[in-house]
Amino acid sequence: MLKGHVFKYGANVDTDAIIPARYLNVSDPYELSRHCMEDIDLDFVKRVKPGDIIVATTNFGCGSSREHAPIAIKASGVSAVVAKSFARIFFRNAINIGLPLLESPEAVDATDIGDELEIDLETGTIRNLTKGKTFKAAPYPEFMSGIINAGGLIDYTRERLKK
Amino acid sequence: MNLAEKILAAHSGKPHVAPGEFISAKVDVVLANDITAPIAIREFRKLGVEKVFDPKKIVLVPDHFVPNKDIASAEQAKMLRDFAREQGVNFFECGQMGIEHVILHEKGLVVPGDLVVGADSHTCTYGALGAFATGMGSTDIGAAMATGDVWMKVPPTIKFVYHGKLPKYVGGKDLILYTIGQIGVDGALYAAMQFSGEAIDELSMEGRFTMANMAIEAGGKAGLFLADKKAVEYARNHSHRKPVVFEPDADAEYQAMHEYDVSKLEPQVALPHLPSNVRPVSQVGDISLDQVVIGSCTNGRFEDLQMAAGILKGKKVNSNLRCIIIPGSQQVYMDALRAGYIEAFIEAGCAVSTPTCGPCLGGHMGILAAGEKCLATTNRNFIGRMGSPRSEVYLAGPAVAAASAIAGKIVPPEI
């Protein structure tokens, strides 16, 4: 069960906003997390606490293929991202590294900055504890669940290579 | 099946694939750069595999922070170099080659019919050749280097048809900016974009590379062109590998179709801070510029420099701005030099740089200060993309960029 307070953003949060390219001369997760969301929210790094949840509207993670973006979010302590829709490469990268993403337009519309959310990844249930409302995210396709359950793409591939 | 489905079916050993289906596909080219390869190599090591699946099919290009701008970026480039030597994969050193999405087809590593995956979002560029090419992250590329295959969801295809003859100074960049302006930055989310029509038939390969390059700016998984005579000829002139031409079936299905008459299209400009914030250059208003950048994997090819040189030759860059020109590869640089373009640029007061992605992503060689405005032939104008989060980036083709460099503000070419 994941639980945390909400940082809420709008549409088209791009990977340059999540982690500006000027910091990509390193790939250390901690170093990247120190600059997460910097260009659109200077307070994010100061205020984020382990378990917190990012909520955004459409096309979250658009732009560059840099895996540094989900790595920076995960290393910041964020436990999940809930959005109306995700950019394709960001979605794939997050699955591969084990950052949970949930698609639920209803949950996004009903959630405000600072609300407390509780997420059950098993069932895709999102509970807004502040508002007392419950939502259901679209389930992962079976194929992706296989990767997630294996612990990410590298563990999944390691298993495949053994066979 | 449509073009995307034909290529994906052929690479997954299936007689038929349909949108939404998950497949495991064999790849022809696996690409990474100095930002994404370090993580890919790290993940590859975790697999416990000694050797990559096929060194000839793996390409590493340090191009983002080169020549290395600091110690940290030098360490990253060194990781690629060391791994390339150990594994014997294709490695293109700074000073010999150039920007990944300019050199891969130039060096003949991609041909029509290929499946290309790259840890760079603009890998979709090779769709211009009739290859299915798509960007992924580093972990995907690390795994693909070991196994030679990737998992993929077959995308639906959206068809774009461009009718009419393109006016002077209107090229591939204007077509793709116009399209993104019409459908939005998530207008093709999860889908393949397929481009066709009379205007496309007439478009040069370079113009097609520019269009395919920016499919990702509409959320597209790939930007595809049918491999026509021009594409096959390009591949034959650049590669020893045999092109494979896939044709869509007559009853192929498309998720949607958009048709545009482009015979009166003006050069297009994307205003800050999204590539979809597009309007015709005549309606941009009075925007004074501090910098113009002509180059990048979008518009750093010979034809782009030819267009810019045609406008800048014998003129002077406005004294209120700096104009930076970056040939996309050493070959482009040499060709432009021999054609006299480099001399024209320098006489006009431009700074000409060795190939690099530097300024496009705010890396180096043209970073913007707070409050500064830049018109660039690059592909993104997100907040902070080229430097300060309080700077502004405008996107356009090389004709508008060159004319604006002379005027000191955004203007149409030929005023």
Side-chain angles (χ1 to χ4, degrees):
Chain A
M1 203 73 87
L2 311 174
K3 195 170 170 182
H5 289 93
V6 166
F7 286 83
K8 191 167 179 185
Y9 303 102
N12 308 315
V13 173
D14 59 79
T15 50
D16 279 275
I18 298 169
I19 180 72
R22 57 186 177 275
Y23 303 118
L24 299 185
N25 54 355
V26 297
S27 58
D28 175 66
Y30 169 73
E31 286 299 322
L32 295 172
S33 75
R34 291 174 53 210
H35 302 288
C36 193
M37 310 303 277
E38 184 174 288
D39 283 359
I40 57 165
D41 183 1
L42 272 174
D43 287 338
F44 177 83
V45 170
K46 290 180 216 152
R47 294 179 44 209
V48 68
K49 292 194 177 62
D52 281 352
I53 291 161
I54 289 178
V55 174
T57 62
T58 53
N59 202 25
F60 186 87
C62 65
S64 165
S65 67
R66 65 188 71 152
E67 204 163 288
H68 313 64
I71 290 174
I73 291 174
K74 197 178 170 192
S76 301
V78 166
S79 64
V81 185
V82 181
K84 291 190 180 186
S85 65
F86 292 93
R88 183 186 58 81
I89 303 175
F90 180 87
F91 188 90
R92 198 177 166 113
N93 286 346
I95 298 296
N96 285 345
I97 68 155
L99 171 69
L101 304 182
L102 295 101
E103 273 186 359
S104 173
E106 299 77 20
V108 172
D109 283 336
T111 299
D112 295 307
I113 294 172
D115 283 0
E116 195 178 18
L117 291 191
E118 187 180 76
I119 294 174
D120 181 350
L121 284 180
E122 293 276 309
T123 60
T125 308
I126 304 166
R127 280 190 202 88
N128 187 323
L129 303 176
T130 309
K131 303 256 163 60
K133 288 182 180 162
T134 301
F135 306 92
K136 198 90 172 165
Y140 288 123
E142 201 179 321
F143 183 88
M144 275 186 216
S145 302
I147 295 174
I148 295 162
N149 293 337
L153 184 71
I154 290 302
D155 290 329
Y156 175 84
T157 306
R158 204 189 285 131
E159 286 304 309
R160 259 184 70 206
L161 288 171
K162 273 188 206 154
K163 284 173 193 164
Chain B
M1 287 189 290
N2 59 40
L3 180 58
E5 291 157 6
K6 281 266 175 93
I7 301 174
L8 293 178
H11 285 82
S12 58
K14 289 174 168 234
H16 188 269
V17 298
E21 189 177 337
F22 285 88
I23 56 168
S24 174
K26 286 199 177 355
V27 293
D28 299 299
V29 181
V30 181
L31 167 72
N33 60 48
D34 50 336
I35 286 179
T36 58
I39 297 178
I41 293 166
R42 194 166 76 199
E43 296 305 308
F44 172 84
R45 300 279 191 218
K46 286 185 194 164
L47 289 169
V49 175
E50 296 270 310
K51 288 279 169 196
V52 298
F53 82 105
D54 183 348
K56 289 194 289 297
K57 293 183 177 173
I58 293 165
V59 190
L60 300 179
V61 189
D63 56 359
H64 280 66
F65 294 139
V66 299
N68 300 136
K69 66 158 184 158
D70 54 23
I71 296 168
S73 63
E75 295 291 348
Q76 294 204 132
K78 187 170 183 295
M79 264 186 89
L80 272 67
R81 204 172 285 122
D82 291 347
F83 185 78
R85 281 178 192 151
E86 172 198 311
Q87 297 284 334
V89 305
N90 294 289
F91 176 69
F92 292 116
E93 184 63 271
C94 140
Q96 297 167 28
M97 298 300 158
I99 297 173
E100 52 197 293
H101 309 308
V102 177
I103 66 166
L104 251 69
H105 41 281
E106 187 187 276
K107 303 305 291 179
L109 291 166
V110 182
V111 295
D114 276 354
L115 178 60
V116 184
V117 295
D120 190 278
S121 62
H122 295 106
T123 302
C124 47
T125 305
Y126 315 111
L129 280 167
F132 190 99
T134 193
M136 296 185 169
S138 296
T139 297
D140 273 312
I141 292 310
M145 289 198 300
T147 63
D149 59 22
V150 292
W151 68 269
M152 241 188 223
K153 190 165 139 185
V154 178
T157 297
I158 303 173
K159 195 171 172 181
F160 295 84
V161 187
Y162 303 85
H163 299 289
K165 188 175 156 50
L166 286 177
K168 193 179 179 190
Y169 294 125
V170 177
K173 182 62 160 288
D174 305 295
L175 288 178
I176 192 66
L177 283 178
Y178 176 75
T179 306
I180 298 166
Q182 293 292 310
I183 66 171
V185 287
D186 59 355
L189 197 57
Y190 299 117
M193 302 169 80
Q194 188 184 313
F195 306 107
S196 60
E198 304 107 75
I200 301 300
D201 296 339
E202 290 301 311
L203 202 62
S204 64
M205 282 312 296
E206 291 169 307
R208 297 180 197 182
F209 285 121
T210 301
M211 286 187 78
N213 175 273
M214 288 188 71
I216 182 66
E217 309 320 334
K221 183 164 188 164
L224 285 165
F225 293 72
L226 299 179
D228 64 0
K229 219 174 121 192
K230 250 183 229 178
V232 170
E233 208 173 283
Y234 182 97
R236 291 221 168 101
N237 287 337
H238 289 82
S239 183
H240 297 301
R241 291 181 49 219
K242 201 173 164 334
V244 181
V245 177
F246 290 96
E247 302 270 357
D249 295 324
D251 61 349
E253 286 181 24
Y254 299 91
Q255 186 182 51
M257 184 154 113
H258 299 281
E259 291 186 75
Y260 306 118
D261 177 1
V262 294
S263 54
K264 292 194 177 70
L265 194 73
E266 265 187 65
Q268 305 284 304
V269 178
L271 279 61
H273 291 285
L274 280 180
S276 57
N277 194 9
V278 172
R279 59 190 74 160
V281 62
S282 64
Q283 289 173 36
V284 168
D286 196 22
I287 307 286
S288 298
L289 298 169
D290 302 286
Q291 180 168 297
V292 167
V293 175
I294 300 175
S296 85
C297 62
T298 316
N299 281 112
R301 298 187 181 82
F302 182 74
E303 185 185 84
D304 302 313
L305 299 194
Q306 187 175 43
M307 174 65 81
I311 293 170
L312 280 160
K313 190 174 168 62
K315 305 268 175 44
K316 287 283 177 201
V317 165
N318 190 282
S319 57
N320 291 322
L321 64 73
R322 60 266 177 190
C323 179
I324 301 166
I325 309 241
I326 309 179
S329 71
Q330 292 294 77
Q331 187 66 55
V332 170
Y333 203 148
M334 190 64 95
D335 291 345
L337 189 71
R338 287 178 177 146
Y341 303 158
I342 303 296
E343 197 177 338
F345 293 140
I346 293 174
E347 275 179 356
C350 304
V352 184
S353 158
T354 188
T356 177
C357 307
C360 173
L361 78 166
H364 65 161
M365 298 290 294
I367 306 301
L368 300 174
E372 288 194 318
K373 293 184 173 71
C374 175
L375 177 80
T377 66
T378 56
N379 39 44
R380 289 188 176 135
N381 55 351
F382 301 147
I383 292 169
R385 176 71 179 178
M386 202 177 270
S388 167
R390 285 186 287 136
S391 63
E392 291 184 353
V393 179
Y394 295 74
L395 307 175
V400 171
S404 301
I406 297 164
K409 58 182 187 173
I410 300 178
V411 293
E414 207 179 45
I415 45 168

